[in-house]
Amino acid sequence: MKKNFNLVIDEPVAVTYGKVGDNAWGHVQFPAIFNTINHKLLVAWEYCSDTIEYKGNAYSAVSDDGGTSWRAPDSADKISYPKMKNGKCFAGFLRKGAYPVDYFEKYTPAYTSEACGKRYFAQDIKEMQDKTVYGIESDPVSGEETLFTCKINWPYMPIGVTNSGMVYPATMVFSLSQRCGLLMSGEKMYFSLYTHGFNSDATSKENALLPYMDKYCVYIFESCDCGRTWNYLSQIPTNEEVMKQNPYAEGFCEPMMARLPDGSISILLRTGNNNPSFIARSTDDCKTWNKPTIFDSNGVLPQILTLESGVTLASYGRPILKIRATSDPSGIEWEKPIILPLTESTDPKESEKPWGKRQQSCFYTGLLAASENTAFLVYSDFHYPNPDGVQVKSILVRKIKVVFDD
């Protein structure tokens, strides 16, 4: 049963400020927010070139007072990852960027395009190094991390090679989605990822090409043994509705799932810059999904979080930062989105650009529950004034509170 409510959104608090004049894309961007094993808040962000080599640095800051002030982390400030039934915590998958290879020359690709390069069936590739996926588990007390090999049961698992000869390792396909792909459900773990892949429901390799092979496809997996084995469950391929909105769309990508109060699972999906975000729903634990429908007119890396109070929040953007919420237990009916203002640039050249081409934020956001009716939102603001009043790229946090009507 839906409840009437309002969202009270606090003013932003700066976590970190970038250097004056450093406006390069990838610098001081892509924030995420976590709890730590010592019960603090931790915000992480990247300083990178945003390329498939994934070269760059990760930084973080910690708050001891619930997000009011921030400091540099120390050795005790380890991220608190979801706990598994073996008592350890699942810390994601090994990150390994793309790099040049030559052994694929002896294999024939199943698909080639200018847009997404070459795609091979992993089962045809004898070399193991680039089709092996590695998981990471951490100790819940010390935070010490251990690497393990994952068994991936994925029909027609793809291996991608760029047209310039760089392989995209399978472990990175999983790692790319680990920030928001994981959904814990009792002793099971569900994981959603995206890649240029094949039809994993096909009856043969000959029938495994998807209608839109140069567009992303979302795949969902299940693990019942603490991440050692991941079994393919379902897929959400790019469909005609996406292409009707924009034939140049990226396709369904950057998925995030949440368990709704009625027991169903909702998944939010990106389709590209300045392109609609979509939502789909499963009532059988990710085995099947209804046809994705448009969630909003935009939305990169859309976040979804269900609070204990029964309200579900979503954050997303580009070129506008938005918060949206629902008290519908099924997550079918949502309230109208709330636009969160970003700082306007004082640079005349920037303000004269069309709205969709202004770089006000990377619009990658993060949500973290703070209580049964409160959440933290983290995002970037490219023109936020530092303590000296100079506009710089900054990482900000805001608290969002759900207030129910009497």
Side-chain angles (χ1 to χ4, degrees):
M1 181 177 178
K2 290 181 64 177
K3 299 179 181 179
N4 294 326
F5 68 93
N6 292 296
L7 296 184
V8 177
I9 305 175
D10 288 354
E11 291 299 310
V13 174
V15 176
T16 190
Y17 301 100
K19 295 179 180 178
V20 176
D22 186 359
N23 299 314
W25 180 259
H27 294 189
V28 195
Q29 291 181 202
F30 315 125
I33 186 167
F34 308 91
N35 291 311
T36 68
I37 60 175
N38 56 347
H39 310 294
K40 313 292 184 181
L41 281 177
L42 184 146
V43 165
W45 63 93
E46 296 193 29
Y47 192 95
C48 63
S49 56
D50 194 21
T51 61
I52 59 173
E53 292 95 333
Y54 300 104
K55 294 179 179 178
N57 297 299
Y59 296 91
S60 60
V62 171
S63 176
D64 303 307
D65 53 13
T68 301
S69 61
W70 296 85
R71 61 169 173 81
D74 58 37
S75 59
D77 298 318
K78 304 290 187 181
I79 293 175
S80 177
Y81 292 105
K83 184 173 286 189
M84 301 181 289
K85 62 182 180 181
N86 65 357
K88 301 293 186 179
C89 298
F90 186 69
F93 300 94
L94 179 67
R95 185 171 176 168
K96 183 180 180 182
Y99 63 96
V101 292
D102 57 12
Y103 68 80
F104 278 88
E105 295 175 356
K106 60 187 176 184
Y107 298 105
T108 300
Y111 179 80
T112 301
S113 77
E114 293 184 5
C116 66
K118 301 175 181 178
R119 286 297 175 273
Y120 300 81
F121 291 110
Q123 65 195 69
D124 294 340
I125 308 301
K126 295 181 180 180
E127 290 80 1
M128 291 297 298
Q129 63 267 33
D130 294 315
K131 62 180 185 178
T132 302
V133 176
Y134 300 94
I136 306 168
E137 68 177 10
S138 65
D139 185 275
V141 178
S142 67
E144 181 180 356
E145 296 185 348
T146 305
L147 199 67
F148 60 88
T149 301
C150 301
K151 181 180 180 182
I152 308 297
N153 295 320
W154 183 357
Y156 312 120
M157 174 180 169
I159 293 291
V161 179
T162 68
N163 289 321
S164 61
M166 298 180 67
V167 65
Y168 198 90
T171 195
M172 193 61 212
V173 172
F174 279 76
S175 177
L176 186 62
S177 294
Q178 67 188 17
R179 182 183 140 189
C180 44
L182 184 68
L183 175 64
M184 303 294 290
S185 183
E187 295 187 348
K188 293 183 178 181
M189 299 192 295
Y190 298 96
F191 192 77
S192 58
L193 59 80
Y194 68 98
T195 189
H196 294 105
F198 300 102
N199 181 1
S200 289
D201 294 333
T203 56
S204 66
K205 287 169 56 178
E206 290 72 23
N207 297 321
L209 294 188
L210 290 163
Y212 304 105
M213 281 294 296
D214 60 346
K215 306 298 180 182
Y216 287 120
C217 180
V218 167
Y219 300 89
I220 297 92
F221 299 83
E222 176 189 61
S223 177
C224 302
D225 60 358
C226 302
R228 269 60 183 175
T229 306
W230 292 94
N231 296 310
Y232 165 81
L233 279 184
S234 59
Q235 62 189 12
I236 306 178
T238 295
N239 58 24
E240 296 83 357
E241 180 65 22
V242 176
M243 303 306 294
K244 183 174 69 175
Q245 296 297 319
N246 184 351
Y248 300 103
E250 300 164 351
F252 289 138
C253 58
E254 294 184 345
M256 187 172 187
M257 302 183 292
R259 176 80 69 177
L260 277 292
D262 73 341
S264 65
I265 295 174
S266 285
I267 187 169
L268 292 181
L269 307 159
R270 163 181 168 161
T271 62
N273 293 327
N274 305 320
N275 287 331
S277 52
F278 281 70
I279 189 169
R281 182 169 179 258
S282 173
T283 57
D284 57 6
D285 287 342
C286 303
K287 296 181 182 66
T288 61
W289 299 87
N290 68 351
K291 185 178 180 180
T293 58
I294 292 177
F295 182 69
D296 204 340
S297 59
N298 63 332
V300 298
L301 198 73
Q303 303 289 288
I304 184 169
L305 171 70
T306 298
L307 298 174
E308 291 182 8
S309 63
V311 170
T312 300
L313 301 173
S315 61
Y316 52 97
R318 198 180 295 171
I320 303 170
L321 180 61
K322 297 178 182 178
I323 288 287
R324 200 172 183 188
T326 180
S327 63
D328 178 1
S330 65
I332 295 175
E333 297 181 12
W334 288 72
E335 304 297 319
K336 292 182 179 180
I338 299 171
I339 296 175
L340 296 183
L342 294 163
T343 308
E344 291 286 347
S345 172
T346 55
D347 183 350
K349 294 181 180 179
E350 183 69 18
S351 60
E352 290 172 1
K353 293 180 181 178
W355 180 258
K357 294 187 177 181
R358 298 180 191 178
Q359 287 197 356
Q360 290 187 289
S361 171
C362 65
F363 294 98
Y364 276 48
T365 62
L367 289 171
L368 179 71
S371 70
E372 66 176 10
N373 61 356
T374 308
F376 289 105
L377 168 71
V378 64
Y379 61 99
S380 64
D381 187 325
F382 286 1
H383 309 298
Y384 197 76
N386 66 12
D388 295 324
V390 181
Q391 291 189 337
V392 294
K393 295 177 77 171
S394 304
I395 304 296
L396 307 179
V397 165
R398 301 179 82 155
K399 186 176 286 188
I400 302 171
K401 185 176 182 179
V402 178
V403 179
F404 292 99
D405 295 350
D406 294 334

